[in-house]
Each structure stands twice: as C-alpha cells, then as structure tokens.
Amino acid sequence: MEAGNEEPPLSQATTQPSPRNALVTGSSRGIGAAIARRLARDGFRVWIHYRESGEAAEALLKEIQGVGGDGRLLAFDVASAEAIERVLVPAVASEGPLDVLVNNAGIARDGLAARMGDANWDGVLEADLSGPFRITRAVLPGMLKARRGRIVNIASVVGLTGNPGQANYSAAKAGLVGLTRTLALEYAKRNILVNAVAPGFIETDMTTRLPKEKILEQIPLGRAGTPEDVAGVVGFLCSDAAAYVTGQVIAVSGGMVGS
Ligand code: NAP
C-alpha cells in the first residue's frame, strides 16, 4: 500500500456513529420539506413522511440521496390513531429509535366560530393536536430507552395570539404549546428536549389564498417568511448548540409577535 493511502485502523472504522434518525411529519412539501432538507444536510437519516403527496416525497428523497444524504419514506394519516399504530409503531420498532421528531404536518379549515361545524373543528384538532400527541407517545419509549431525543412541534403565532376565523386552528396550536411545555417538564431528566417553533406568515400551499399585501403590513421585517426561515430554527433546536434549551416557544414571524 502506498504512503498516504492507508486504510483507517479497524478500531476507528467500527466507532463511526450510526446515522441518527429524524422523522419530519408532513415533509412532502412546504415547511416540512425544508426541514427535511436541513436535517439531512446536518447528517440525519430523514424519514420523509406524507399522506397524499407520494410523488413529491419520493422526489425529495431522491434529491437528498443525490447530495449524499440518507432517508426513507413513510406514509400515514396523522389524524388516524389506527394508522399511527399500524405504520409508525412497527417502523420505529424495526428501524428506530428516533433521535428527532418534528411534528410539522398540519391543516387549517377556517371559518367563524358561530358557523363552524363539528367536522372542521374535529378535523383540525385531530390533525394538529391529537396526531402530534399520539405520534409523540409512539416514539417516546425508544427515546426514553436511549436517554436522548429532540422533539420540535410546529405551532403557530396564532396559537399565542388567537386569530379571527381560526378558532379550531388557534386552539389546536395553543394546545400544542401546552403539550410542548408539559413534555419538556416530564422528560427533561431523561435528556429529551421538547420545544415549539411558532411560524408567522410563511409562503407555502397553506397560505396561497391569504391576502398577502394586508398581512405584510403587520410584519415588522416587511416580508413573508420562507420555509427555510423556519427550517433554520428547527435545525438549531435539533443541534448540539441547543443542548440547554427545552420547553421554549420560538416565534419565526419577522417580529410579528414575541413568544
Ligand atoms: P402545507 O404546505 O399545506 O403542507 C402540509 C404538509 O402536511 C404536507 O406535507 C401534507 O402532506 C402534510 N399533511 C397534512 N395533513 C396531513 C395528514 N392528515 N396526515 C399526514 N400528513 C398530512 O403546510 P405548511 O405551510 O408547510 O405548514 C406546515 C406546518 O406549519 C403546519 O403544522 C402549519 O400549521 C404550520 N404553520 C404554517 C404557517 C404558514 O404560514 N405556512 C404558519 C404557521 C404555522 P400531503 O400533501 O401528503 O397530504
């Protein structure tokens, strides 16, 4: 063997850390896709999750693999307790534990409270609050055993302020903040750090029908946020730099609201 071309000693080769698993729910598009890209870049093996947008999820996985990253696909409806048990629980048992869970998948079904039907109330509460709770419950045993984990819940500034026309959505996101703070207290001693990120107005499919110019007037930084603006803060919360941060809510809103 030529000088400078030696194999690393076996002891070094076998101490390579195994890839860290990160599940990002709703990462087929929007904010979740940006978070998946960011965590892949940071060395995580990203579980790209979706419900309907299978082609977009597959394309994202190929993109990540194309730049040397690693990941897998996972499809289930976050609003279905049955699907979480059938799909997520066995996946974690065979390929877990997860080091990172980002509860990002969410929906909005807007309307004034007086005329909001049960379907829109229950649908948003199931997807945006009960789903994150059940998913967290499914991944916690593995994190507890490993004595490490990071959970980031994607809430919203309207969960902090309220918003006319979003009784269901703001209640679900406020609930997610309460869940975040409680989980942080319950599992701090096991080194599981739980935080929330509260985006303001981020340009994605979810916000295309909103009155952009009117909303921009309320944003001190004077521009809409990008999915990457949110992903940067999530990446920080999943990094070693955030090892002493838990139970916090960080607004990513261009200054629209403090947290
Ligand atoms: P988006 O562009 O509409 O994307 C939503 C993602 O969630 C998609 O990947 C979608 O997957 C997935 N999803 C939705 N319902 C699901 C379900 N029942 N089961 C599984 N996956 C589901 O939304 P976004 O703007 O990126 O929002 C991401 C998160 O940020 C949400 O929690 C949202 O409430 C929050 N947020 C967004 C803003 C904003 O301004 N955009 C502001 C504050 C908070 P499929 O396409 O496969 O269904």
Side-chain angles (χ1 to χ4, degrees), residues 3 5 17 26 54 80 115 129 131 139 159 187 210 212 221 227 239:
N5 198 21
S80 164
R115 281 186 289 168
L129 182 57
V139 309
Y187 300 109
L210 298 182
K212 182 173 171 182
L221 284 181
S239 74

Side-chain angles (χ1 to χ4, degrees), residues 129 153 155-156 159-160 171-182 196 198 247 249:
L129 182 57
N153 292 321
S156 167
L160 309 174
K173 294 299 189 180
L176 199 52
V177 168
L179 178 65
T180 300
R181 293 203 158 116
T182 296
V249 182

Side-chain angles (χ1 to χ4, degrees), residues 26 28-29 31 51-53 77-78 104 155 169 173 200 202 204:
S28 50
R29 53 197 173 89
I31 293 170
R51 180 188 46 169
E52 289 172 348
S53 307
D77 180 353
V78 296
N104 165 80
Y169 184 77
K173 294 299 189 180
I202 312 296
T204 67

Side-chain angles (χ1 to χ4, degrees), residues 58-215:
E58 247 170 71
L60 178 59
L61 178 60
K62 283 210 181 94
E63 179 193 320
I64 285 172
Q65 288 170 335
V67 292
D70 191 13
R72 60 157 294 174
L73 299 175
L74 196 67
F76 63 88
D77 180 353
V78 296
S80 164
E82 181 276 327
I84 291 168
E85 287 299 316
R86 179 171 42 81
V87 180
L88 178 61
V89 170
V92 171
S94 64
E95 290 185 49
L98 290 172
D99 297 90
V100 164
L101 164 65
V102 183
N103 278 310
N104 165 80
I107 57 166
R109 296 285 181 269
D110 298 351
L112 293 173
R115 281 186 289 168
M116 184 176 290
D118 281 352
N120 279 357
W121 174 265
D122 292 342
V124 169
L125 268 287
E126 282 294 315
D128 295 7
L129 182 57
S130 300
F133 165 68
R134 294 188 185 114
I135 292 166
T136 302
R137 187 176 58 186
V139 309
L140 268 173
M143 288 183 173
L144 286 167
K145 210 165 158 202
R147 288 190 162 267
R148 67 162 197 260
R150 301 284 173 97
I151 299 172
V152 181
N153 292 321
I154 306 301
S156 167
V157 289
V158 308
L160 309 174
T161 61
N163 197 30
Q166 293 197 305
N168 49 0
Y169 184 77
S170 54
K173 294 299 189 180
L176 199 52
V177 168
L179 178 65
T180 300
R181 293 203 158 116
T182 296
L183 291 171
L185 295 173
E186 286 187 5
Y187 300 109
K189 285 200 170 66
R190 295 293 195 89
N191 193 31
I192 298 168
L193 312 186
V194 190
N195 293 288
V197 170
F201 177 64
I202 312 296
E203 280 189 296
T204 67
D205 294 343
M206 186 180 266
T207 52
T208 43
R209 276 175 294 155
L210 298 182
K212 182 173 171 182
E213 294 312 315
K214 217 172 140 208
I215 296 171

